[in-house]
Amino acid sequence: MADRVTAPRRRGYREGIGGEMLAEFLGTFVLILLGVGSVAVAVVGLPGSGRQFVDFGPANWLIISWGWGLAVVFGVYVAGGISGAHLNPAVTLAFTVRRDFPVKKVPAYWLAQVLGAFVAAALVYACYHWAIDAADAKAGLARDESLATYSIFATFPAEYFGDSWWGPLLDQIVGTGILLLLVCALIDLKNVAPLSNLHPFFIGLVVVAIGLTFGTNAGYAINPARDFGPRLFTYFEGWGDIALPGTFGWFSGYWWIPIVGPLIGGVAGVLVYDLIIKPVVTARTAAMEAQEEGPATEEA
Protein backbone atom coordinates (compact mmCIF):
# COMPACT_ATOMS: atom_id res chain seq x y z
CA MET A 1 0.00 0.00 0.00
CA ALA A 2 1.35 3.36 -0.97
CA ASP A 3 2.32 5.67 1.86
CA ARG A 4 -0.26 8.24 2.66
CA VAL A 5 0.63 11.83 2.07
CA THR A 6 -0.01 13.63 5.31
CA ALA A 7 -1.43 17.08 4.74
CA PRO A 8 -0.14 19.77 7.06
CA ARG A 9 -2.52 20.31 9.96
CA ARG A 10 -4.34 23.60 9.79
CA ARG A 11 -3.81 25.83 12.76
CA GLY A 12 -6.95 26.53 14.72
CA TYR A 13 -7.85 30.06 15.67
CA ARG A 14 -6.69 29.38 19.23
CA GLU A 15 -3.13 28.76 18.05
CA GLY A 16 -2.71 31.93 15.98
CA ILE A 17 -3.66 35.56 16.28
CA GLY A 18 -7.20 34.55 17.28
CA GLY A 19 -5.94 32.97 20.48
CA GLU A 20 -3.82 36.02 21.25
CA MET A 21 -6.83 38.27 20.71
CA LEU A 22 -8.88 36.15 23.10
CA ALA A 23 -6.14 36.44 25.71
CA GLU A 24 -5.89 40.21 25.27
CA PHE A 25 -9.68 40.50 25.44
CA LEU A 26 -9.99 38.49 28.64
CA GLY A 27 -6.89 39.98 30.27
CA THR A 28 -8.12 43.51 29.58
CA PHE A 29 -11.59 42.48 30.72
CA VAL A 30 -10.20 41.36 34.09
CA LEU A 31 -8.11 44.53 34.36
CA ILE A 32 -11.08 46.83 33.76
CA LEU A 33 -13.56 44.73 35.72
CA LEU A 34 -11.47 44.91 38.90
CA GLY A 35 -10.15 48.43 38.33
CA VAL A 36 -13.45 50.08 37.49
CA GLY A 37 -15.07 47.96 40.19
CA SER A 38 -12.73 49.46 42.78
CA VAL A 39 -13.74 52.96 41.68
CA ALA A 40 -17.40 51.98 41.94
CA VAL A 41 -16.80 50.81 45.52
CA ALA A 42 -15.17 54.12 46.46
CA VAL A 43 -17.62 56.43 44.64
CA VAL A 44 -21.04 54.82 45.14
CA GLY A 45 -20.66 51.40 46.75
CA LEU A 46 -19.41 52.25 50.22
CA PRO A 47 -21.19 55.63 50.54
CA GLY A 48 -24.55 54.16 49.56
CA SER A 49 -24.37 50.70 51.09
CA GLY A 50 -24.64 51.55 54.77
CA ARG A 51 -21.16 50.12 55.33
CA GLN A 52 -19.45 53.51 55.43
CA PHE A 53 -20.59 55.71 58.31
CA VAL A 54 -18.07 58.55 57.93
CA ASP A 55 -16.47 60.10 54.88
CA PHE A 56 -13.29 58.25 53.95
CA GLY A 57 -11.90 61.30 52.20
CA PRO A 58 -8.39 60.64 50.83
CA ALA A 59 -8.62 57.00 51.93
CA ASN A 60 -10.99 56.40 49.02
CA TRP A 61 -8.05 57.15 46.72
CA LEU A 62 -6.15 54.30 48.36
CA ILE A 63 -8.98 51.92 47.48
CA ILE A 64 -8.79 53.07 43.87
CA SER A 65 -4.99 53.01 43.61
CA TRP A 66 -4.63 49.54 45.10
CA GLY A 67 -7.67 48.29 43.20
CA TRP A 68 -6.11 49.25 39.88
CA GLY A 69 -2.73 47.84 40.87
CA LEU A 70 -4.18 44.45 41.78
CA ALA A 71 -6.32 44.54 38.64
CA VAL A 72 -3.14 44.81 36.55
CA VAL A 73 -1.54 41.90 38.44
CA PHE A 74 -4.35 39.47 37.71
CA GLY A 75 -4.97 40.72 34.17
CA VAL A 76 -1.33 40.00 33.36
CA TYR A 77 -1.55 36.53 34.91
CA VAL A 78 -4.57 35.73 32.74
CA ALA A 79 -2.98 36.65 29.42
CA GLY A 80 0.77 36.77 29.97
CA GLY A 81 1.68 33.29 28.74
CA ILE A 82 -0.36 33.64 25.54
CA SER A 83 -0.20 37.20 24.26
CA GLY A 84 2.41 38.79 26.49
CA ALA A 85 -0.43 40.58 28.33
CA HIS A 86 -0.12 44.01 26.77
CA LEU A 87 -3.67 44.91 27.88
CA ASN A 88 -2.93 48.44 26.74
CA PRO A 89 -2.58 49.93 23.24
CA ALA A 90 0.29 52.11 24.49
CA VAL A 91 2.22 48.98 25.47
CA THR A 92 1.50 47.37 22.11
CA LEU A 93 2.67 50.45 20.20
CA ALA A 94 5.76 50.89 22.37
CA PHE A 95 6.86 47.27 21.87
CA THR A 96 6.23 47.67 18.14
CA VAL A 97 8.47 50.73 17.99
CA ARG A 98 11.00 48.72 19.99
CA ARG A 99 10.77 45.98 17.32
CA ASP A 100 9.69 43.45 19.91
CA PHE A 101 6.24 43.09 18.34
CA PRO A 102 5.09 42.78 14.69
CA VAL A 103 3.25 45.74 13.18
CA LYS A 104 0.68 43.48 11.50
CA LYS A 105 -0.70 42.36 14.87
CA VAL A 106 -1.24 45.86 16.26
CA PRO A 107 -4.83 46.43 14.98
CA ALA A 108 -5.96 43.02 16.28
CA TYR A 109 -4.51 43.66 19.75
CA TRP A 110 -5.99 47.16 19.92
CA LEU A 111 -9.42 45.88 18.93
CA ALA A 112 -9.34 43.07 21.51
CA GLN A 113 -8.22 45.48 24.24
CA VAL A 114 -10.94 48.05 23.56
CA LEU A 115 -13.64 45.36 23.34
CA GLY A 116 -12.47 43.79 26.60
CA ALA A 117 -12.62 47.17 28.32
CA PHE A 118 -16.08 47.92 26.91
CA VAL A 119 -17.58 44.60 28.01
CA ALA A 120 -16.01 44.87 31.47
CA ALA A 121 -17.48 48.36 31.94
CA ALA A 122 -20.89 47.00 30.96
CA LEU A 123 -20.64 44.24 33.57
CA VAL A 124 -19.58 46.66 36.31
CA TYR A 125 -22.57 48.83 35.40
CA ALA A 126 -24.88 45.81 35.53
CA CYS A 127 -23.70 45.12 39.07
CA TYR A 128 -23.68 48.72 40.31
CA HIS A 129 -26.46 50.50 38.45
CA TRP A 130 -28.69 50.47 41.55
CA ALA A 131 -25.97 52.26 43.51
CA ILE A 132 -25.35 54.65 40.61
CA ASP A 133 -29.03 55.52 40.29
CA ALA A 134 -29.30 56.03 44.07
CA ALA A 135 -26.26 58.33 44.10
CA ASP A 136 -27.61 60.43 41.23
CA ALA A 137 -31.04 60.64 42.87
CA LYS A 138 -29.50 61.72 46.18
CA ALA A 139 -27.48 64.42 44.40
CA GLY A 140 -30.55 65.50 42.40
CA LEU A 141 -28.73 65.07 39.10
CA ALA A 142 -29.73 63.63 35.77
CA ARG A 143 -27.32 61.04 34.45
CA ASP A 144 -25.88 63.34 31.79
CA GLU A 145 -25.13 65.91 34.53
CA SER A 146 -23.40 63.50 36.92
CA LEU A 147 -19.65 63.76 36.64
CA ALA A 148 -19.23 61.74 39.85
CA THR A 149 -20.93 58.60 38.58
CA TYR A 150 -19.36 59.00 35.14
CA SER A 151 -15.94 59.03 36.85
CA ILE A 152 -16.48 55.40 37.89
CA PHE A 153 -15.83 54.40 34.29
CA ALA A 154 -13.55 56.90 32.56
CA THR A 155 -11.31 59.85 33.30
CA PHE A 156 -11.44 63.64 33.31
CA PRO A 157 -8.93 66.40 34.16
CA ALA A 158 -8.68 68.09 37.55
CA GLU A 159 -10.53 71.39 37.84
CA TYR A 160 -7.31 73.37 38.36
CA PHE A 161 -6.35 72.71 34.73
CA GLY A 162 -9.33 74.74 33.54
CA ASP A 163 -9.92 74.22 29.83
CA SER A 164 -6.20 73.68 29.15
CA TRP A 165 -5.42 70.56 27.15
CA TRP A 166 -1.65 70.78 27.59
CA GLY A 167 -1.56 70.04 31.33
CA PRO A 168 -3.59 66.81 31.18
CA LEU A 169 -1.78 65.72 27.99
CA LEU A 170 1.60 66.20 29.69
CA ASP A 171 0.31 64.26 32.70
CA GLN A 172 -0.67 61.31 30.50
CA ILE A 173 2.63 61.38 28.63
CA VAL A 174 4.62 61.39 31.87
CA GLY A 175 2.49 58.76 33.62
CA THR A 176 2.60 56.31 30.71
CA GLY A 177 6.27 57.04 30.13
CA ILE A 178 6.98 56.00 33.72
CA LEU A 179 4.89 52.87 33.25
CA LEU A 180 6.76 51.70 30.13
CA LEU A 181 10.17 52.69 31.45
CA LEU A 182 9.62 50.53 34.52
CA VAL A 183 8.02 47.68 32.56
CA CYS A 184 11.14 47.56 30.39
CA ALA A 185 13.29 47.37 33.53
CA LEU A 186 11.13 44.65 35.07
CA ILE A 187 11.26 42.38 32.02
CA ASP A 188 14.96 42.90 31.26
CA LEU A 189 16.63 39.66 32.37
CA LYS A 190 20.07 41.25 31.94
CA ASN A 191 19.14 43.82 34.58
CA VAL A 192 17.61 42.82 37.94
CA ALA A 193 14.23 41.60 36.67
CA PRO A 194 12.18 39.60 39.20
CA LEU A 195 12.16 35.85 38.63
CA SER A 196 9.68 33.05 39.37
CA ASN A 197 6.88 34.74 37.41
CA LEU A 198 6.69 37.59 39.92
CA HIS A 199 6.91 40.43 37.42
CA PRO A 200 3.08 40.86 37.24
CA PHE A 201 3.12 41.79 40.95
CA PHE A 202 5.79 44.40 40.42
CA ILE A 203 4.07 45.83 37.34
CA GLY A 204 0.96 46.12 39.49
CA LEU A 205 2.99 47.99 42.10
CA VAL A 206 4.15 50.38 39.37
CA VAL A 207 0.50 51.20 38.66
CA VAL A 208 -0.15 51.72 42.39
CA ALA A 209 2.84 54.08 42.54
CA ILE A 210 1.63 56.07 39.53
CA GLY A 211 -1.83 56.37 41.07
CA LEU A 212 -0.39 57.62 44.35
CA THR A 213 1.94 60.15 42.69
CA PHE A 214 0.27 61.36 39.48
CA GLY A 215 -3.26 59.99 39.71
CA THR A 216 -5.26 63.04 40.75
CA ASN A 217 -4.20 65.23 37.81
CA ALA A 218 -6.27 63.41 35.22
CA GLY A 219 -7.31 60.06 36.69
CA TYR A 220 -4.17 58.24 35.43
CA ALA A 221 -5.76 56.47 32.47
CA ILE A 222 -2.25 55.65 31.10
CA ASN A 223 -4.06 53.23 28.77
CA PRO A 224 -6.18 54.25 25.76
CA ALA A 225 -8.35 51.09 25.96
CA ARG A 226 -8.91 51.52 29.70
CA ASP A 227 -10.39 54.96 29.03
CA PHE A 228 -11.99 54.70 25.60
CA GLY A 229 -13.80 51.37 26.04
CA PRO A 230 -15.65 52.44 29.22
CA ARG A 231 -16.07 55.98 27.83
CA LEU A 232 -17.84 54.56 24.79
CA PHE A 233 -20.06 52.47 27.06
CA THR A 234 -21.03 55.48 29.20
CA TYR A 235 -21.90 57.45 26.08
CA PHE A 236 -24.38 54.77 25.02
CA GLU A 237 -25.67 54.41 28.58
CA GLY A 238 -26.72 58.05 28.89
CA TRP A 239 -23.85 60.17 30.20
CA GLY A 240 -23.88 62.05 26.90
CA ASP A 241 -21.42 64.88 26.35
CA ILE A 242 -19.48 64.11 29.53
CA ALA A 243 -18.33 60.93 27.80
CA LEU A 244 -18.16 62.06 24.16
CA PRO A 245 -16.82 64.52 23.22
CA GLY A 246 -15.77 64.80 26.86
CA THR A 247 -17.29 68.13 27.84
CA PHE A 248 -18.37 69.30 31.29
CA GLY A 249 -17.90 72.56 33.14
CA TRP A 250 -14.19 73.33 32.99
CA PHE A 251 -13.17 70.87 30.23
CA SER A 252 -14.30 70.30 26.67
CA GLY A 253 -13.45 67.87 23.88
CA TYR A 254 -11.32 65.88 26.30
CA TRP A 255 -11.85 62.39 24.83
CA TRP A 256 -8.67 62.32 22.73
CA ILE A 257 -6.19 63.19 25.48
CA PRO A 258 -6.28 59.79 27.30
CA ILE A 259 -5.64 58.19 23.90
CA VAL A 260 -2.91 60.36 22.39
CA GLY A 261 -1.06 61.08 25.64
CA PRO A 262 -0.48 57.43 26.59
CA LEU A 263 0.55 56.49 23.04
CA ILE A 264 3.21 59.23 23.05
CA GLY A 265 4.27 58.48 26.61
CA GLY A 266 4.61 54.75 26.05
CA VAL A 267 6.98 55.25 23.12
CA ALA A 268 8.94 57.85 25.09
CA GLY A 269 9.30 55.45 28.02
CA VAL A 270 10.81 52.59 26.02
CA LEU A 271 13.10 54.96 24.13
CA VAL A 272 14.46 56.38 27.38
CA TYR A 273 15.18 52.89 28.72
CA ASP A 274 16.66 51.62 25.46
CA LEU A 275 18.87 54.68 24.92
CA ILE A 276 20.15 55.09 28.47
CA ILE A 277 19.97 51.82 30.42
CA LYS A 278 19.88 49.00 27.88
CA PRO A 279 23.26 49.76 26.21
CA VAL A 280 24.98 49.89 29.60
CA VAL A 281 23.40 46.64 30.76
CA THR A 282 24.26 44.94 27.46
CA ALA A 283 27.88 46.12 27.53
CA ARG A 284 28.41 45.03 31.14
CA THR A 285 26.80 41.65 30.51
CA ALA A 286 29.03 41.09 27.47
CA ALA A 287 32.12 42.05 29.47
CA MET A 288 31.23 39.65 32.27
CA GLU A 289 30.59 36.80 29.83
CA ALA A 290 33.92 37.45 28.08
CA GLN A 291 35.71 37.42 31.41
CA GLU A 292 34.10 34.13 32.40
CA GLU A 293 35.04 32.56 29.05
CA GLY A 294 38.66 33.77 29.17
CA PRO A 295 41.65 31.42 28.61
CA ALA A 296 42.22 28.90 31.34
CA THR A 297 45.37 29.39 33.40
CA GLU A 298 47.72 26.49 34.08
CA GLU A 299 47.64 25.35 37.67
CA ALA A 300 50.95 25.46 39.59
Side-chain angles (χ1 to χ4, degrees), residues 16-299:
I17 186 64
E20 294 171 39
M21 289 180 69
L22 286 174
E24 283 295 301
F25 171 87
L26 189 58
T28 308
F29 173 85
V30 169
L31 165 63
I32 303 305
L33 185 73
L34 299 181
V36 170
S38 74
V39 185
V41 165
V43 174
V44 296
L46 280 172
S49 66
R51 294 177 174 84
Q52 178 179 316
F53 302 103
V54 295
D55 290 338
F56 273 26
N60 277 9
W61 194 253
L62 293 177
I63 294 173
I64 293 169
S65 296
W66 281 101
W68 277 109
L70 291 171
V72 169
V73 170
F74 296 113
V76 172
Y77 272 122
V78 166
I82 301 168
S83 67
H86 295 184
L87 316 184
N88 182 341
V91 173
T92 302
L93 178 63
F95 285 174
T96 302
V97 171
R98 205 184 192 202
R99 298 183 180 179
D100 286 343
F101 189 75
V103 175
K104 65 182 181 181
K105 291 186 177 181
V106 171
Y109 269 53
W110 283 5
L111 176 62
Q113 291 156 2
V114 172
L115 286 176
F118 183 95
V119 174
L123 184 55
V124 171
Y125 176 79
C127 293
Y128 276 99
H129 75 86
W130 294 275
I132 290 170
D133 291 344
D136 286 343
K138 184 176 180 180
L141 294 172
R143 177 162 293 179
D144 60 1
E145 299 171 333
S146 180
L147 182 64
T149 53
Y150 162 79
S151 72
I152 293 169
F153 299 96
T155 65
F156 65 92
E159 190 168 0
Y160 46 72
F161 285 120
D163 197 27
S164 167
W165 59 266
W166 169 239
L169 181 65
L170 176 63
D171 171 81
Q172 289 299 290
I173 292 171
V174 171
T176 316
I178 294 169
L179 173 65
L180 266 295
L181 170 67
L182 297 181
V183 166
C184 288
L186 289 168
I187 64 175
D188 188 351
L189 296 178
K190 294 180 180 179
N191 204 330
V192 288
L195 302 178
S196 301
N197 297 324
L198 286 175
H199 71 275
F201 279 101
F202 289 94
I203 294 173
L205 287 177
V206 170
V207 173
V208 173
I210 294 170
L212 294 177
T213 54
F214 288 91
T216 56
N217 270 341
Y220 74 114
I222 59 174
N223 180 338
R226 171 267 175 275
D227 189 83
F228 186 70
R231 182 182 294 272
L232 195 61
F233 172 78
T234 56
Y235 175 76
F236 290 129
E237 199 54 47
W239 274 272
D241 288 349
I242 302 177
L244 289 171
T247 298
F248 178 89
W250 61 90
F251 60 91
S252 61
Y254 183 76
W255 70 274
W256 63 274
I257 290 177
I259 297 175
V260 174
L263 292 175
I264 296 172
V267 172
V270 297
L271 290 178
V272 168
Y273 187 85
D274 287 350
L275 291 174
I276 297 176
I277 299 298
K278 188 176 181 180
V280 178
V281 172
T282 301
R284 293 194 174 200
T285 302
M288 291 176 61
E289 291 174 350
Q291 186 175 6
E292 292 172 358
E293 297 173 2
T297 57
E298 185 177 332
E299 293 185 1

